[in-house]
Coordinates of all heavy atoms in Angstrom, one line a residue:
D1 N -96.0 90.6 110.5 CA -97.3 90.1 110.3 C -98.3 90.7 111.4 O -98.0 90.7 112.6 CB -97.3 88.6 110.5 CG -97.3 87.9 109.2 OD1 -97.5 88.5 108.2 OD2 -97.1 86.6 109.3
V2 N -99.4 91.2 110.9 CA -100.4 91.8 111.8 C -101.5 90.7 112.0 O -102.0 90.1 111.0 CB -101.0 93.0 111.2 CG1 -102.2 93.5 112.0 CG2 -100.0 94.1 111.0
R3 N -101.8 90.5 113.2 CA -102.9 89.5 113.6 C -104.2 90.2 113.2 O -104.5 91.3 113.5 CB -102.9 89.1 115.0 CG -104.0 88.1 115.5 CD -103.6 86.7 115.0 NE -104.6 85.8 115.3 CZ -104.5 84.9 116.3 NH1 -103.5 84.8 117.1 NH2 -105.5 84.1 116.5
K4 N -105.1 89.4 112.6 CA -106.5 90.0 112.2 C -107.5 89.0 112.5 O -107.2 87.7 112.6 CB -106.5 90.4 110.7 CG -106.2 89.2 109.7 CD -106.3 89.8 108.3 CE -105.9 88.7 107.3 NZ -105.7 89.1 106.0
V5 N -108.7 89.4 112.7 CA -109.9 88.6 112.9 C -110.9 88.9 111.9 O -111.0 90.0 111.4 CB -110.4 88.7 114.3 CG1 -109.5 88.2 115.4 CG2 -110.8 90.2 114.6
S6 N -111.7 88.0 111.6 CA -112.9 88.2 110.7 C -113.9 89.1 111.3 O -114.1 89.1 112.5 CB -113.5 86.8 110.4 OG -114.8 87.0 109.8
A7 N -114.6 89.9 110.6 CA -115.7 90.8 111.0 C -116.8 90.0 111.7 O -117.6 90.5 112.4 CB -116.2 91.7 109.9
A8 N -116.9 88.7 111.2 CA -117.9 87.8 111.6 C -117.6 87.1 113.0 O -118.4 86.4 113.7 CB -118.3 86.8 110.7
E9 N -116.4 87.3 113.5 CA -115.9 86.6 114.7 C -116.7 87.2 115.9 O -116.9 88.3 116.0 CB -114.4 86.9 114.9 CG -113.7 86.1 115.9 CD -113.5 84.7 115.3 OE1 -113.0 84.5 114.1 OE2 -113.8 83.7 116.1
P10 N -117.1 86.2 116.8 CA -117.8 86.7 118.0 C -116.9 87.5 118.8 O -115.7 87.3 119.0 CB -118.2 85.4 118.7 CG -118.1 84.3 117.6 CD -117.0 84.8 116.6
I11 N -117.6 88.5 119.4 CA -116.8 89.5 120.3 C -116.0 88.8 121.4 O -115.0 89.0 121.6 CB -117.7 90.5 120.9 CG1 -118.2 91.4 119.7 CG2 -117.0 91.4 122.0 CD1 -119.3 92.4 120.1
V12 N -116.7 87.8 122.0 CA -116.0 87.1 123.2 C -114.8 86.3 122.6 O -113.8 86.3 123.3 CB -117.0 86.1 123.8 CG1 -116.3 85.2 124.8 CG2 -118.2 86.8 124.4
E13 N -114.8 85.8 121.4 CA -113.6 85.1 120.9 C -112.5 86.1 120.6 O -111.3 85.9 120.9 CB -114.0 84.3 119.6 CG -112.8 83.7 118.9 CD -112.2 82.6 119.7 OE1 -112.7 82.2 120.8 OE2 -111.0 82.2 119.4
V14 N -112.9 87.3 120.1 CA -111.8 88.3 119.8 C -111.2 88.8 121.2 O -110.0 88.9 121.3 CB -112.4 89.5 119.1 CG1 -111.4 90.7 118.9 CG2 -112.9 89.1 117.8
L15 N -112.1 89.0 122.2 CA -111.5 89.3 123.5 C -110.6 88.2 124.1 O -109.5 88.5 124.6 CB -112.7 89.5 124.5 CG -112.3 89.9 125.9 CD1 -111.6 91.2 126.0 CD2 -113.6 90.0 126.7
R16 N -111.0 87.0 123.9 CA -110.1 85.9 124.4 C -108.8 85.8 123.7 O -107.7 85.7 124.3 CB -110.8 84.6 124.0 CG -110.0 83.3 124.6 CD -110.5 82.0 124.1 NE -110.3 81.9 122.6 CZ -109.0 81.6 122.1 NH1 -108.0 81.5 122.9 NH2 -109.0 81.5 120.7
I17 N -108.7 86.1 122.3 CA -107.5 86.1 121.6 C -106.6 87.3 122.1 O -105.4 87.2 122.4 CB -107.7 86.3 120.0 CG1 -108.4 85.0 119.5 CG2 -106.4 86.6 119.3 CD1 -108.9 85.2 118.1
M18 N -107.2 88.5 122.3 CA -106.5 89.6 122.7 C -105.9 89.4 124.1 O -104.7 89.8 124.4 CB -107.4 90.9 122.7 CG -107.7 91.2 121.3 SD -108.8 92.6 121.2 CE -107.7 94.0 121.4
V19 N -106.7 88.8 125.1 CA -106.1 88.6 126.4 C -105.1 87.5 126.4 O -104.1 87.7 127.0 CB -107.4 88.2 127.3 CG1 -106.8 87.7 128.7 CG2 -108.3 89.4 127.5
E20 N -105.3 86.5 125.7 CA -104.4 85.4 125.7 C -103.0 85.8 125.1 O -102.0 85.4 125.6 CB -104.9 84.2 124.8 CG -104.1 83.0 124.7 CD -104.8 81.9 124.0 OE1 -105.9 81.6 124.2 OE2 -104.0 81.4 123.1
H21 N -103.0 86.7 124.0 CA -101.7 87.0 123.4 C -101.3 88.5 123.9 O -100.2 88.9 123.3 CB -101.9 87.0 121.9 CG -102.2 85.6 121.3 ND1 -101.3 84.6 121.3 CD2 -103.4 85.1 121.0 CE1 -101.8 83.5 120.7 NE2 -103.0 83.8 120.6
G22 N -102.0 89.1 124.7 CA -101.6 90.5 125.1 C -101.8 91.5 124.2 O -101.0 92.6 124.2
Y23 N -102.7 91.4 123.2 CA -102.8 92.4 122.1 C -103.7 93.5 122.7 O -104.6 93.3 123.4 CB -103.5 91.9 120.9 CG -102.8 90.7 120.2 CD1 -103.5 89.7 119.6 CD2 -101.4 90.7 120.1 CE1 -102.9 88.7 118.9 CE2 -100.8 89.6 119.5 CZ -101.6 88.6 118.8 OH -100.8 87.6 118.2
R24 N -103.4 94.7 122.3 CA -104.3 95.9 122.7 C -105.2 96.3 121.6 O -106.1 96.9 121.8 CB -103.4 97.0 123.2 CG -102.7 96.7 124.5 CD -101.7 97.7 124.9 NE -102.4 99.1 125.1 CZ -101.8 100.2 125.1 NH1 -100.4 100.3 125.1 NH2 -102.4 101.3 125.4
H25 N -104.8 95.9 120.3 CA -105.6 96.2 119.2 C -105.5 95.0 118.2 O -104.5 94.4 118.1 CB -104.9 97.4 118.4 CG -105.0 98.7 119.2 ND1 -104.0 99.0 120.1 CD2 -105.9 99.7 119.4 CE1 -104.3 100.2 120.8 NE2 -105.4 100.5 120.3
M26 N -106.7 94.9 117.5 CA -106.6 93.9 116.4 C -107.2 94.4 115.1 O -108.2 95.1 115.2 CB -107.5 92.7 116.9 CG -107.0 91.9 118.1 SD -106.1 90.4 117.8 CE -107.1 89.6 116.6
L27 N -106.7 94.0 114.0 CA -107.3 94.4 112.7 C -108.5 93.5 112.5 O -108.4 92.3 112.7 CB -106.2 94.2 111.6 CG -106.6 94.5 110.2 CD1 -106.8 96.1 110.1 CD2 -105.5 94.0 109.2
V28 N -109.5 94.2 112.0 CA -110.8 93.5 111.6 C -110.9 93.4 110.1 O -110.7 94.5 109.5 CB -112.0 94.1 112.2 CG1 -113.3 93.4 111.8 CG2 -111.9 94.2 113.7
A29 N -111.1 92.2 109.5 CA -111.2 92.1 108.1 C -112.5 91.5 107.7 O -113.0 90.6 108.3 CB -109.9 91.4 107.6
D30 N -112.9 91.8 106.5 CA -114.1 91.2 106.0 C -113.8 90.7 104.6 O -113.4 91.5 103.7 CB -115.2 92.3 105.8 CG -116.6 91.6 105.5 OD1 -116.7 90.4 105.4 OD2 -117.5 92.4 105.2
G31 N -113.7 89.4 104.4 CA -113.3 88.7 103.2 C -111.8 89.1 102.8 O -111.5 89.2 101.7
G32 N -111.0 89.2 103.9 CA -109.6 89.4 103.7 C -109.3 90.9 103.5 O -108.1 91.3 103.6
K33 N -110.3 91.7 103.4 CA -110.1 93.2 103.2 C -110.2 93.9 104.6 O -111.2 93.8 105.2 CB -111.1 93.7 102.2 CG -110.9 95.1 101.9 CD -111.9 95.6 100.8 CE -111.7 97.1 100.6 NZ -112.6 97.5 99.5
P34 N -109.2 94.6 105.0 CA -109.3 95.4 106.2 C -110.5 96.3 106.2 O -110.8 97.1 105.3 CB -108.0 96.1 106.3 CG -107.0 95.5 105.4 CD -108.0 94.9 104.3
T35 N -111.2 96.2 107.4 CA -112.4 97.1 107.6 C -112.3 98.0 108.8 O -113.1 98.9 109.0 CB -113.7 96.3 107.7 OG1 -113.6 95.3 108.8 CG2 -113.9 95.5 106.3
G36 N -111.4 97.7 109.7 CA -111.3 98.5 110.9 C -110.3 97.9 111.9 O -109.6 96.9 111.6
V37 N -110.3 98.5 113.0 CA -109.4 98.1 114.1 C -110.3 98.2 115.4 O -111.0 99.0 115.6 CB -108.2 99.0 114.3 CG1 -107.4 98.7 115.6 CG2 -107.3 99.1 113.1
V38 N -110.2 97.1 116.2 CA -110.9 97.0 117.5 C -109.8 97.1 118.6 O -108.7 96.5 118.5 CB -111.7 95.8 117.6 CG1 -110.9 94.5 117.6 CG2 -112.6 95.9 118.8
S39 N -110.1 97.8 119.7 CA -109.2 97.8 120.8 C -109.8 97.1 122.0 O -111.0 96.8 122.1 CB -108.9 99.3 121.2 OG -110.1 99.8 121.8
I40 N -108.8 96.7 122.9 CA -109.3 96.1 124.1 C -110.3 97.1 124.9 O -111.2 96.5 125.5 CB -108.1 95.7 125.0 CG1 -108.5 94.7 126.0 CG2 -107.4 96.9 125.6 CD1 -108.6 93.3 125.5
R41 N -110.1 98.3 124.8 CA -111.0 99.3 125.5 C -112.4 99.1 124.8 O -113.4 99.2 125.5 CB -110.5 100.7 125.3 CG -111.4 101.7 126.0 CD -110.8 103.1 125.8 NE -109.7 103.2 126.7 CZ -108.9 104.2 126.9 NH1 -109.1 105.3 126.1 NH2 -107.9 104.2 127.7
D42 N -112.5 99.0 123.5 CA -113.8 98.8 122.8 C -114.5 97.6 123.3 O -115.7 97.7 123.6 CB -113.7 98.7 121.3 CG -113.1 99.9 120.6 OD1 -113.2 101.0 121.1 OD2 -112.5 99.6 119.5
L43 N -113.8 96.5 123.5 CA -114.3 95.3 124.0 C -114.7 95.4 125.4 O -115.7 94.9 125.9 CB -113.4 94.0 123.7 CG -113.1 93.8 122.3 CD1 -112.1 92.7 122.1 CD2 -114.3 93.7 121.4
M44 N -113.9 96.0 126.3 CA -114.2 96.1 127.6 C -115.5 97.1 127.8 O -116.3 96.8 128.6 CB -113.0 96.7 128.5 CG -111.9 95.9 128.5 SD -112.3 94.2 129.1 CE -112.7 94.5 130.8
R45 N -115.5 98.1 127.0 CA -116.8 98.9 127.0 C -118.0 98.2 126.7 O -119.1 98.2 127.4 CB -116.7 100.1 126.1 CG -117.9 101.0 126.0 CD -117.7 102.2 125.2 NE -116.8 103.1 126.0 CZ -115.9 103.9 125.4 NH1 -115.8 104.0 124.1 NH2 -115.1 104.6 126.2
W46 N -117.9 97.2 125.7 CA -119.0 96.4 125.3 C -119.4 95.4 126.5 O -120.5 95.2 126.8 CB -118.6 95.5 124.1 CG -119.7 94.4 123.8 CD1 -120.8 94.6 123.1 CD2 -119.6 93.1 124.3 NE1 -121.5 93.4 123.0 CE2 -120.8 92.5 123.8 CE3 -118.8 92.4 125.0 CZ2 -121.1 91.1 124.1 CZ3 -119.1 91.0 125.3 CH2 -120.2 90.5 124.8
L47 N -118.3 94.9 127.2 CA -118.6 94.0 128.3 C -119.3 94.8 129.4 O -120.2 94.2 130.1 CB -117.3 93.5 128.8 CG -117.3 92.7 130.1 CD1 -118.0 91.4 129.9 CD2 -115.8 92.4 130.5
I48 N -118.9 96.0 129.7 CA -119.3 96.7 131.0 C -120.7 97.4 130.7 O -121.5 97.4 131.7 CB -118.2 97.6 131.5 CG1 -117.1 96.7 132.0 CG2 -118.8 98.5 132.5 CD1 -115.8 97.6 132.3
L49 N -120.8 98.0 129.6 CA -122.0 98.9 129.4 C -123.1 98.1 129.0 O -123.0 97.3 128.0 CB -121.7 100.1 128.4 CG -120.6 101.1 129.0 CD1 -120.4 102.1 127.9 CD2 -121.0 101.8 130.3
P50 N -124.3 98.2 129.5 CA -125.4 97.5 129.0 C -125.9 97.9 127.7 O -125.6 99.0 127.2 CB -126.5 97.8 130.1 CG -126.1 99.1 130.8 CD -124.7 99.2 130.6
D51 N -126.6 97.0 127.0 CA -127.3 97.4 125.7 C -128.3 98.4 125.7 O -128.4 99.2 124.8 CB -127.8 96.2 125.0 CG -126.7 95.2 124.7 OD1 -125.5 95.6 124.4 OD2 -127.0 93.9 124.7
A52 N -129.0 98.4 126.8 CA -130.1 99.3 127.0 C -129.9 100.1 128.3 O -129.3 99.6 129.3 CB -131.5 98.6 127.1
P53 N -130.3 101.4 128.4 CA -130.1 102.2 129.6 C -130.8 101.5 130.8 O -131.9 101.0 130.6 CB -130.8 103.5 129.3 CG -130.9 103.6 127.8 CD -130.9 102.2 127.3
I54 N -130.2 101.5 131.9 CA -130.8 100.9 133.1 C -130.6 102.0 134.2 O -129.7 102.8 134.1 CB -130.2 99.6 133.5 CG1 -128.7 99.7 133.7 CG2 -130.6 98.5 132.5 CD1 -128.1 98.4 134.2
A55 N -131.4 101.8 135.4 CA -131.2 102.7 136.5 C -129.8 102.6 137.0 O -129.2 101.5 137.0 CB -132.3 102.4 137.6
H56 N -129.3 103.8 137.5 CA -127.9 103.8 138.0 C -127.7 102.6 139.1 O -126.7 102.1 139.0 CB -127.6 105.2 138.7 CG -126.3 105.2 139.3 ND1 -125.1 105.3 138.6 CD2 -126.0 105.3 140.6 CE1 -124.1 105.3 139.4 NE2 -124.6 105.3 140.7
E57 N -128.6 102.4 140.0 CA -128.4 101.5 141.0 C -128.4 100.0 140.5 O -127.9 99.2 141.1 CB -129.5 101.6 142.1 CG -131.0 101.5 141.6 CD -131.5 102.8 141.2 OE1 -130.7 103.8 141.1 OE2 -132.7 102.8 140.8
G58 N -128.8 99.8 139.2 CA -128.9 98.5 138.6 C -127.5 98.2 137.9 O -127.3 97.1 137.5
K59 N -126.8 99.2 137.7 CA -125.6 99.1 136.8 C -124.5 98.0 137.3 O -124.0 97.2 136.7 CB -124.9 100.4 136.6 CG -123.9 100.4 135.5 CD -123.5 101.8 135.1 CE -123.5 101.9 133.6 NZ -123.2 103.1 133.2
R60 N -124.4 98.1 138.7 CA -123.4 97.2 139.3 C -123.7 95.7 139.0 O -122.9 94.9 138.6 CB -123.3 97.4 140.8 CG -122.3 96.4 141.4 CD -122.1 96.8 142.8 NE -121.1 97.8 142.9 CZ -120.6 98.3 144.0 NH1 -121.1 97.9 145.2 NH2 -119.7 99.2 144.0
G61 N -125.0 95.4 139.2 CA -125.5 93.9 138.9 C -125.3 93.6 137.5 O -124.8 92.5 137.1
E62 N -125.5 94.5 136.5 CA -125.4 94.3 135.1 C -123.9 94.0 134.8 O -123.5 93.1 134.1 CB -125.8 95.5 134.3 CG -125.7 95.4 132.8 CD -126.6 94.4 132.2 OE1 -127.7 94.1 132.8 OE2 -126.3 93.9 131.0
V63 N -123.0 94.8 135.3 CA -121.6 94.7 135.1 C -121.2 93.3 135.7 O -120.4 92.5 135.0 CB -120.8 95.8 135.7 CG1 -119.3 95.5 135.7 CG2 -121.1 97.1 135.1
H64 N -121.6 93.0 136.8 CA -121.1 91.7 137.5 C -121.6 90.6 136.6 O -120.8 89.6 136.4 CB -121.8 91.6 138.9 CG -121.4 90.3 139.6 ND1 -120.1 90.1 140.1 CD2 -122.1 89.3 139.9 CE1 -120.1 88.9 140.6 NE2 -121.3 88.3 140.4
E65 N -122.9 90.5 136.1 CA -123.4 89.4 135.4 C -122.6 89.3 134.0 O -122.3 88.2 133.6 CB -124.9 89.6 135.1 CG -125.7 89.2 136.3 CD -125.5 87.8 136.7 OE1 -125.5 86.8 135.8 OE2 -125.2 87.5 137.9
R66 N -122.4 90.4 133.3 CA -121.6 90.3 132.1 C -120.2 89.8 132.3 O -119.7 89.0 131.5 CB -121.6 91.7 131.4 CG -122.8 91.9 130.6 CD -122.5 92.9 129.5 NE -123.5 92.9 128.6 CZ -123.7 93.8 127.6 NH1 -122.8 94.7 127.5 NH2 -124.8 93.9 126.9
A67 N -119.6 90.3 133.3 CA -118.2 89.8 133.6 C -118.2 88.3 133.9 O -117.4 87.6 133.5 CB -117.7 90.7 134.8
K68 N -119.2 87.9 134.7 CA -119.3 86.5 135.1 C -119.5 85.6 133.9 O -118.9 84.6 133.7 CB -120.4 86.4 136.2 CG -120.6 84.9 136.6 CD -121.7 84.9 137.6 CE -122.4 83.6 137.7 NZ -123.6 83.6 138.5
D69 N -120.5 86.1 133.0 CA -120.7 85.3 131.7 C -119.5 85.3 130.9 O -119.2 84.2 130.3 CB -121.9 86.0 131.0 CG -123.2 85.9 131.7 OD1 -123.3 85.0 132.6 OD2 -124.1 86.5 131.2
T70 N -118.7 86.3 130.8 CA -117.5 86.4 130.0 C -116.4 85.4 130.5 O -115.9 84.7 129.7 CB -117.0 87.8 129.8 OG1 -118.0 88.6 129.3 CG2 -115.7 87.9 129.0
V71 N -116.2 85.5 131.8 CA -115.2 84.7 132.4 C -115.6 83.2 132.2 O -114.7 82.4 131.8 CB -115.0 85.0 133.9 CG1 -114.3 83.9 134.6 CG2 -114.5 86.3 134.1
E72 N -116.8 82.8 132.4 CA -117.3 81.4 132.2 C -117.0 81.0 130.7 O -116.6 79.9 130.4 CB -118.7 81.2 132.6 CG -119.0 81.2 134.0 CD -118.1 80.1 134.8 OE1 -118.1 79.1 134.3 OE2 -117.5 80.5 135.8
T73 N -117.4 81.9 129.8 CA -117.2 81.6 128.4 C -115.7 81.4 128.0 O -115.4 80.5 127.3 CB -117.7 82.8 127.5 OG1 -119.2 82.9 127.8 CG2 -117.6 82.5 126.0
L74 N -114.8 82.3 128.5 CA -113.4 82.1 128.3 C -112.8 80.9 128.9 O -112.0 80.2 128.3 CB -112.7 83.4 128.9 CG -113.0 84.7 128.1 CD1 -112.3 85.8 128.8 CD2 -112.5 84.6 126.7
R75 N -113.4 80.4 130.0 CA -112.9 79.2 130.7 C -113.2 78.0 129.8 O -112.5 77.0 129.9 CB -113.5 79.0 132.0 CG -112.8 79.9 133.1 CD -113.4 79.7 134.4 NE -112.7 80.5 135.3 CZ -113.2 81.0 136.5 NH1 -114.3 80.6 136.9 NH2 -112.5 81.8 137.3
Q76 N -114.3 78.0 129.1 CA -114.8 76.9 128.3 C -114.0 76.7 127.1 O -114.0 75.7 126.4 CB -116.3 77.1 128.0 CG -117.2 76.9 129.2 CD -118.6 77.3 128.9 OE1 -119.0 77.5 127.8 NE2 -119.4 77.4 129.9
V77 N -113.3 77.8 126.6 CA -112.6 77.7 125.4 C -111.3 77.1 125.5 O -110.6 77.0 126.4 CB -112.4 79.2 124.8 CG1 -111.5 79.3 123.5 CG2 -113.8 79.8 124.5

């Protein structure tokens, strides 16, 4: 049995499932039909890299804030 998530599943929830169960990859399905695979690396890239380019010196603060938000979200689940 392959664990899969809905394409509509929030990224933070998929990350939580992967961390909780030790998965490195998850099948993504839309209406039960496989549409792709997401890796823990994909999710970490989403977590670390900002949506819009920012100055190099601001990157550390962006990473810290996203990591802090994600940790808080995971603790609430």
Side-chain angles (χ1 to χ4, degrees):
D1 259 352
V2 175
R3 181 73 186 255
K4 62 183 172 186
V5 292
S6 165
E9 195 74 46
I11 292 174
V12 173
E13 177 61 13
V14 177
L15 180 61
R16 184 194 66 75
I17 292 168
M18 291 177 82
V19 169
E20 184 176 309
H21 297 284
Y23 301 147
R24 292 176 60 195
H25 298 86
M26 295 261 315
L27 180 66
V28 179
D30 190 9
K33 183 177 179 180
T35 58
V37 174
V38 66
S39 71
I40 194 79
R41 181 178 287 175
D42 295 334
L43 298 181
M44 294 307 293
R45 179 173 287 150
W46 172 84
L47 172 68
I48 292 170
L49 296 177
D51 295 329
I54 56 174
H56 175 71
E57 56 275 3
K59 194 170 224 170
R60 176 175 280 181
E62 178 73 21
V63 170
H64 179 72
E65 280 304 308
R66 276 210 171 166
K68 182 176 151 189
D69 290 347
T70 300
V71 167
E72 287 304 314
T73 300
L74 292 173
R75 284 184 180 155
Q76 293 172 7
V77 174

